[in-house]
Amino acid sequence: MTPQEIADLKSAYKLCFTTDDGKRVLEDLKTRCGFLRTNWSDVPNETYFREGQRWVVLWILDMLHDDNR
C-alpha cells in the first residue's frame, strides 16, 4: 500500500470507530476477543485462536492511533 492509501484507510477506521456506535462496538470487541485477559489455554490451538481474535482488536487500535502524538 502507498502511504496515501494507508492514510486513507486509517481515516476510514477513525470514521467508523470514533462515533458513539463505533466506540460501543470497539468496547464489545475488546470484551469478546479477550483484549484485557490472558488468552492462554492448555489446548495450543485454542490459545492461537484466542490470540488471533485479540490481534484484530490490537490492529483496530493501531489504526486509530494518532501518529502525530
Side-chain angles (χ1 to χ4, degrees):
M1 293 182 93
T2 68
Q4 185 59 51
E5 288 171 327
I6 293 169
D8 291 345
L9 186 58
K10 287 184 106 168
S11 292
Y13 270 80
K14 289 176 182 177
L15 184 63
C16 286
F17 288 103
T18 57
T19 66
D20 288 341
D21 287 338
K23 290 175 185 177
R24 184 173 171 211
V25 168
L26 185 54
E27 288 305 312
D28 182 62
L29 288 171
K30 286 179 182 180
T31 301
R32 292 180 187 276
C33 297
F35 180 70
L36 296 175
R37 69 174 186 262
T38 182
N39 288 313
W40 184 83
S41 171
D42 289 332
V43 181
N45 289 341
E46 182 69 19
T47 300
Y48 304 147
F49 178 78
R50 291 176 183 177
E51 278 301 303
Q53 288 181 311
R54 185 173 175 272
W55 184 87
V56 171
V57 176
L58 288 169
W59 175 259
I60 293 168
L61 292 173
D62 187 55
M63 293 300 281
L64 298 177
H65 179 75
D66 184 5
D67 294 329
N68 296 324
R69 283 197 262 171

